[in-house]
Each structure stands twice: as structure tokens, then as C-alpha cells.
Amino acid sequence: MRTVKIASAVVVFALAVVSHAAESSVPDGPSSVSDDLAAALGGSSPASDTTAPGAGPPLTLTLSVAGGPAKSVVLRCGDTGDGGSHPDPATACGLLRQVDGDLPRLAYDIDMICPPEYDPHTVGAFGTWAGRTVRFTRTYDNGCEMTALTGPLFRF
């Protein structure tokens, strides 16, 4: 409920900023109110949605098994090639391209049969994809479940 209240307050504030800006000046170029609203909300305008996947800081991927120390790698996905310290950046970037960087949509092999053991694997991805901020964390019951849903993305 608190998140909804905060989000509502942000929208009201952004609308007030855009409304005030529209009243006090005439736009210089082809900008529209929707572009201004997107900028005020911290989003991107339609013109910037065509940004290449590698634009901005690369993704930092982390993996922690059963609360142990976290391991991390850097993944760069771009038009000029994929790279970073990930052991298989081409495959990892390919998976991310399939879901346009929206990690909750990953479903690598959902028919994989995993044992009912509990050995928690917590993963995270932080950085940017196509100019959008990525903040993803999830805990899977075990390594098999993690692999079934994320494939080789967090195999490092």
C-alpha cells in the first residue's frame, strides 16, 4: 500500500511539473507533453527507446549460494559485440535479447525436472539495458531451478 501511495505522489508531482512547464514556455522543437512526462518520471522518451542494448553502464550479475559470499561478473551486450567477465557473454546476451532485458520474463527450460532440495541460490542483475535501469533480484530453491529459469545467465 505504501508503494502505491509513493508512486501516486510521484505521478501527481510529475504532472504538476509538466503542466507548469507547458504553461510557462513553448517547446523549442518536436517535444511533446508525453516526452516531458516520461522525462519527469525518470523514464525515457520514445526517441531514446531505440538505444542499443549496450548503452549505459553494463550489467553486473551476482550469485550467492546458501547465503555464502557473492560472486559477480560484468556483462556487456552491444552492437559492436558482447563481452565482459562473464564466461559466455554471447549466450548470456542472447538470452537477454530474447526478453528485451526484462529478466522476470526469462524461462529457459521450464520442463526441467528439479529435485525437491532446498539450497537457495540468490541472483541479482544491476545496470542498464537499452537505456533502462535494471534492478533484479530473486532467490531460487536450488541451482537446478535457477538454471531452469535463467539458463546460463548466472552460471559463473
Side-chain angles (χ1 to χ4, degrees):
M1 185 67 161
R2 179 182 171 134
T3 304
V4 172
K5 288 179 183 177
I6 292 171
S8 297
V10 169
V11 170
V12 169
F13 175 75
L15 288 173
V17 168
V18 170
S19 174
H20 176 70
E23 290 172 4
S24 63
S25 67
V26 175
D28 295 358
S31 178
S32 69
V33 173
S34 64
D35 291 346
D36 294 340
L37 179 58
L41 290 174
S44 58
S45 68
S48 67
D49 286 343
T50 60
T51 308
L59 289 174
T60 299
L61 306 176
T62 61
L63 167 65
S64 173
V65 179
K71 297 186 283 184
S72 65
V73 297
V74 173
L75 180 64
R76 287 184 188 83
C77 305
D79 294 337
T80 58
D82 303 329
S85 58
H86 193 283
D88 189 0
T91 302
C93 290
L95 286 170
L96 290 173
R97 286 184 185 101
Q98 289 175 6
V99 295
D100 192 29
D102 187 7
L103 277 79
R105 290 182 33 216
L106 282 173
Y108 183 72
D109 184 2
I110 58 172
D111 293 328
M112 186 181 274
I113 298 172
C114 294
E117 66 183 15
Y118 186 70
D119 183 26
H121 283 56
T122 302
V123 300
F126 308 94
T128 60
W129 181 269
R132 297 183 317 262
T133 300
V134 174
R135 289 189 184 112
F136 173 81
T137 57
R138 181 158 294 158
T139 300
Y140 299 99
D141 285 348
N142 54 50
C144 178
E145 181 184 52
M146 178 191 75
T147 300
L149 293 171
T150 65
L153 185 63
F154 292 100
R155 259 192 251 145
F156 48 83

